[in-house]
Amino acid sequence: MNDMTSGKGVDTVPNTDQPQGTGSIGRLLLDAGKISPADAEKIIRHQRQSGQRFGEAALQLGLVKPEDIQYALAQQFDYPYLLPGQGNFSPELVAAYYPYSEQVENLRALRTQLLLRWFHTGHKALCFTSVMDKEGVSYQTANLAVVFSQLGERTLLIDANLRHPRQHHIFNLGNRAGLSETLVGRAKNTVCKIPAFVDLSVLPAGAIPPNPAELLARNTFGELLRELADLYDIILIDAPTLASYADAQNIAALAGGAVFVVRQDHTRMAQLETAKKILQGTGAQLVGAVLNHF
């Protein structure tokens, strides 16, 4: 990696039409199509005259935007995220497309709390559920999975909502085999690696079965979680509504803990108290609640 603290000699080479090093700011900007080889020559000449870093010189010449430099720096520091339009993921994946937004800063704060309260105490899996429908559980788990993977944690997101699955849409995985087929032994190796994020994998729901509660109550789901715990540091489970279906109760019991996702001006306190009592009956720990502002 280039010395980011030195003002002179960074990303420059003699007699070439592009900056040096596959990990350099210049190379990353070239690969992303943000500058042309001719632009790189102009930037290198200006850099030599001014003693600036490559990115600073490019900005001063007006050949790139600040967000272009942010993107290249993120690649240098192994902090993967995407430019709008890359990856063909859902726009809901704000952690992938807008990593410096206030919304994603809140997700990072939540990540820290979960690490301290749950994952650093020896747990691997955590269930995310809600009191009512349309609270934003899939949105929260998808984005949390991204920010955990950006931390370098081997992260697996399981879509265990076998009634209304959404993760295959969010991550553009198509109609493929997933959790339901795995639980009945019809498919193996259904975990999908997400190439855009080095440490992120997703186990989609697969086909919607006629008996989701029974499938998730089988020993095979618990065995699967134990096997996956040997492969991943963080396992986030997207579960259906707790009060409406027995599915989430089984998932929470196997994970050992759950987080409630509640929606501002939508979730009712009485229903939240009811869901809390249901969760306590499973023996799972209520790790906390996340408030969605939408």
Side-chain angles (χ1 to χ4, degrees), residues 130-136 164 241 244-245 263 266:
S130 62
V131 178
M132 303 170 62
D133 290 327
K134 300 182 179 179
E135 303 274 40
H164 306 288
T241 303
S244 300
Y245 307 110
R263 181 176 168 187
H266 183 76

Side-chain angles (χ1 to χ4, degrees), residues 115 118-120 122-126 148-149 151-156 199 228-236:
L115 284 170
W118 189 250
F119 294 111
H120 282 177
H123 299 94
K124 287 290 189 78
L126 185 60
F148 270 113
S149 71
L151 193 62
E153 301 283 354
R154 295 173 300 168
T155 305
L156 174 65
D199 294 300
L228 293 171
D230 292 332
L231 302 175
Y232 297 94
D233 303 310
I234 306 289
I235 301 174
L236 307 181

Side-chain angles (χ1 to χ4, degrees), residues 68-290:
D68 298 330
I69 299 298
Q70 280 186 330
Y71 176 76
L73 285 170
Q75 303 307 304
Q76 274 199 331
F77 283 91
D78 295 324
Y79 182 66
Y81 74 91
L82 304 174
L83 296 174
Q86 285 185 323
N88 295 318
F89 300 130
S90 167
E92 292 178 81
L93 213 58
V94 293
Y97 292 117
Y98 306 101
Y100 303 109
S101 64
E102 181 179 354
Q103 200 171 4
V104 180
E105 286 297 333
N106 292 334
L107 284 165
R108 293 191 191 99
L110 174 60
R111 176 186 67 188
T112 299
Q113 290 293 323
L114 293 177
L115 284 170
L116 294 175
R117 294 186 182 187
W118 189 250
F119 294 111
H120 282 177
T121 60
H123 299 94
K124 287 290 189 78
L126 185 60
C127 169
F128 286 76
T129 183
S130 62
V131 178
M132 303 170 62
D133 290 327
K134 300 182 179 179
E135 303 274 40
V137 175
S138 296
Y139 165 85
Q140 283 289 341
T141 51
N143 282 288
L144 273 172
V146 171
V147 297
F148 270 113
S149 71
Q150 289 170 333
L151 193 62
E153 301 283 354
R154 295 173 300 168
T155 305
L156 174 65
L157 171 58
I158 300 177
D159 193 346
N161 189 336
L162 301 184
R163 298 175 186 271
H164 306 288
R166 295 196 62 247
Q167 297 300 343
H168 64 294
H169 291 303
I170 294 175
F171 286 94
N172 192 28
L173 297 175
N175 185 19
R176 63 174 68 199
L179 178 62
S180 61
E181 288 87 353
T182 301
L183 293 179
V184 296
R186 291 179 52 200
K188 294 182 179 180
N189 302 320
T190 53
V191 172
C192 304
K193 184 77 175 173
I194 308 299
F197 300 95
V198 176
D199 294 300
L200 178 60
S201 298
V202 176
L203 174 54
I208 298 177
N211 57 338
E214 288 76 16
L215 275 184
L216 293 165
R218 291 180 180 178
N219 291 333
T220 49
F221 185 52
E223 292 170 358
L224 177 64
L225 286 180
R226 288 189 288 273
E227 290 174 6
L228 293 171
D230 292 332
L231 302 175
Y232 297 94
D233 303 310
I234 306 289
I235 301 174
L236 307 181
I237 307 174
D238 180 351
T241 303
L242 182 72
S244 300
Y245 307 110
D247 315 20
Q249 298 175 44
N250 295 324
I251 295 166
L254 288 170
V259 171
F260 285 152
V261 178
V262 298
R263 181 176 168 187
Q264 187 174 17
D265 302 324
H266 183 76
T267 308
R268 298 177 181 178
M269 286 301 299
Q271 292 172 316
L272 188 59
E273 286 298 324
T274 299
K276 183 178 177 182
K277 292 178 182 178
I278 293 172
L279 182 67
Q280 289 172 340
T282 69
Q285 179 180 336
L286 177 58
V287 180
V290 179

